[in-house]
């Protein structure tokens, strides 16, 4: 993706009893998740924006957890994003 690109990530409801609980970027300087919105039907939405002008890679992970089970949510979805800067003249 190019810097400034905005992508909406839509996660459908899970078949097990887990619910999507949150999104995290391994490199927030490159890919910024925002607008996390879990919906009552189990679908979750977030917006991913490629920030900055440099290139690099980031892993976006989304965690899921059963609502009635104690413990931390586990990352169950991963998206690898490569940010490629625009070529510069000169």
């Amino acid at each position: 993706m190019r810097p400034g690109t905005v992508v909406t990530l839509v996660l459908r409801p899970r078949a097990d009893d887990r619910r999507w609980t949150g999104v995290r970027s391994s490199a927030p300087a490159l890919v910024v998740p925002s607008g996390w919105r879990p919906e009552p039907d189990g679908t979750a939405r977030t917006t991913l924006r490629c920030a900055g002008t440099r290139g690099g890679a980031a892993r976006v992970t989304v965690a899921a957890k059963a609502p009635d089970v104690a413990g931390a949510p586990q990352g169950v979805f991963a998206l690898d994003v490569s940010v490629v800067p625009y070529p510069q003249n000169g």
Side-chain angles (χ1 to χ4, degrees), residues 27-79:
L30 291 174
V31 179
V32 180
S34 63
W36 175 251
R37 222 177 43 205
E39 297 178 0
D41 68 350
T43 302
R45 297 173 188 274
T46 191
T47 302
L48 305 175
R49 177 182 299 273
C50 290
T53 57
R54 64 174 199 227
R59 176 169 273 200
V60 176
T61 56
V62 184
K65 178 179 180 286
D68 59 348
V69 177
Q74 296 179 343
V76 294
F77 176 83
L79 175 67

Side-chain angles (χ1 to χ4, degrees), residues 1 5 7-8 11-12 15 17 19 22 26 30 34 38 42 46 52 54 58 64 66-68 71-72 79-80 89:
M1 297 192 320
T5 302
V7 175
T8 300
L11 300 160
R12 298 288 175 211
D17 63 342
R19 295 283 178 147
S26 67
L30 291 174
S34 63
T46 191
R54 64 174 199 227
D68 59 348
L79 175 67
D80 292 323
N89 294 331

